[in-house]
Amino acid sequence: MKIDEVTREKWILSTFPEWGTYLNEEIADTEVKKDTFAMWWLGCTGIWLKTAEQTNILIDLWNGTGKRSHGNGMMRKGHQMQRMSGVQKLQPNLRNQPFVLDPFAVENVDALFVSHIHSDHLDINTAAAVNNNCPSAKFYGPAEVVKIWQAWGVAPNRTVVVKPGDEIIINKTKIKVLESFDRTALVTENDPDVTLKNKLPQDMDQIAVNYLFETTGGNLYHAADSHYSNVFAKHGNEHRIDVALGAYGENPRGITDKVTSVDILRMAESLKTKVIIPVHYDIWTNFMADPKEITTLWNFKKDRLKYQFMPYIWQVGGQFNYPENAKDLEFNFDRGFSDVFSIENDTPFTSFL
């Protein structure tokens, strides 16, 4: 190719998603061992869960972007952050993570679960890919999520409305639908042309839920965008939770949207989980946080906590295996070069190295 043949469209197609199908291939090739489960972090709260029965479940996969220009410098009318805090100036919520998965190369997905109606969890690109590539996959979500899927063109017979108390079985995995504590969703999903003074917040169960995935290798609790709640203790009392995901972040001035490092630890203790993993802090530039703050506090407080657990600092695109990685504290990508010098090296001056 010559430089005069390069176009913006060719650059986009040759560059995005940044990881191509590398992660798709890794997931497809992974054989999950008996009495374990594997999962991959896809950014935000997006998770690919794979079980020992080779069941593949997608959760909250988002393939969109945040701000793309400065525009007129003002927030879009009706934006959730505008309704939450009254802010008018454009917020710098730029996407901070690469696209590590090619959604249009997904295969063998048994189900797509979405926790709530916000667009960084409920994604039309993911819905289109699963709808076209995985004809037997079902779409599970609360009532308002299902309405949106059907408006996009997902066939009604492929969608399932869920609410707290429901149980779904997919192969040998049982999914329990639990209450959400996403107050942000509750107070920001009114018609933007109607003030909160004139309209009560919607029923949480219609717009947001949490999920517990009970696999033959362990149980995964997905808290989606839940704020800290005392009811986490109820969930911890009623269910066995091995790994929990919490929406962590550094809240900007005037916003209480993400769980802080202190409340991530409170959440873990209340849930009685064995492992707590912060997610979501990675995706928005204006909510970025350092997860090492969690491990620092955990080291300070761990001997005084009633229920013992381990924090785990993940990286987007990384694989977590339970129980193999339960005590690792931190993820690091394979650095490769395990077979270095396994063949004769022809680099000049190697004899002097």
Side-chain angles (χ1 to χ4, degrees), residues 207-267:
I207 60 177
V209 296
N210 291 354
Y211 293 109
L212 178 66
F213 298 88
E214 295 185 342
T215 80
T216 57
N219 297 348
L220 171 67
Y221 182 93
H222 194 293
D225 276 3
S226 285
H227 299 213
Y228 180 78
S229 170
N230 293 334
V231 186
F232 279 135
K234 174 178 180 285
H235 291 176
N237 288 343
E238 295 177 346
H239 309 281
R240 193 192 92 225
I241 298 170
D242 297 308
V243 182
L245 306 172
Y248 169 61
E250 191 69 46
N251 294 301
R253 179 175 179 268
I255 297 294
T256 304
D257 186 54
K258 300 292 181 284
V259 180
T260 66
S261 54
V262 171
D263 283 339
I264 277 280
L265 299 184
R266 292 177 69 203
M267 173 185 173

Side-chain angles (χ1 to χ4, degrees), residues 14 71 75 82 152 158 165 186 188 198 204 210 225 263 305 325 329 333:
S14 66
M75 288 285 285
Q82 183 188 72
W152 287 342
R158 294 189 64 183
L186 192 64
T188 62
N198 299 324
M204 179 79 83
N210 291 354
D225 276 3
D263 283 339
L305 296 170
N325 301 125
L329 284 177
F333 286 105

